[in-house]
Amino acid sequence: MGMYIAKTFQRRADGSRREYYIIRENYWDFEQKRQRTRYVAYLGRSKTLSLDRAKKIAKKLGIGLDDLRRVRGLKIKPTPPG
């Protein structure tokens, strides 16, 4: 169906809160006859990926880099030469 970025939180022992970003996917569950979501990939503390990391995630998911670029809110920055 579609992939999107979701924000998750972790409450630290000192009371502070950390935000992390993940990619989730919507899919249709035929047994329960309803739409469900599943975790697809961990992005870390930023919504921006390097081109190398984006290629690794796309390969792991079995999708093309162009499909990964369609995820709303995800930014892929080019790898600097050198």
Side-chain angles (χ1 to χ4, degrees), residues 6-70:
K7 190 187 309 186
T8 70
F9 302 96
Q10 179 186 32
R11 180 75 60 188
R12 310 287 292 193
D14 63 358
S16 64
R17 190 168 99 164
R18 285 213 175 150
E19 297 177 351
Y20 297 96
Y21 295 97
I22 60 173
I23 297 178
R24 293 193 146 202
E25 177 182 40
N26 292 333
Y27 70 98
W28 183 257
D29 187 345
F30 289 100
E31 289 182 10
Q32 295 184 1
K33 295 182 179 146
R34 68 183 181 115
Q35 186 171 313
R36 307 279 311 259
T37 62
R38 67 177 146 224
Y39 162 87
V40 176
Y42 173 75
L43 298 178
R45 297 190 67 187
S46 172
K47 294 189 270 184
T48 305
L49 293 176
S50 68
L51 184 60
D52 294 334
R53 184 141 183 252
K55 286 179 182 178
K56 287 179 185 177
I57 289 174
K59 183 177 179 181
K60 176 186 149 198
L61 298 176
I63 62 174
L65 192 58
D66 290 334
D67 295 328
L68 192 60
R69 287 184 198 272
R70 288 189 202 121

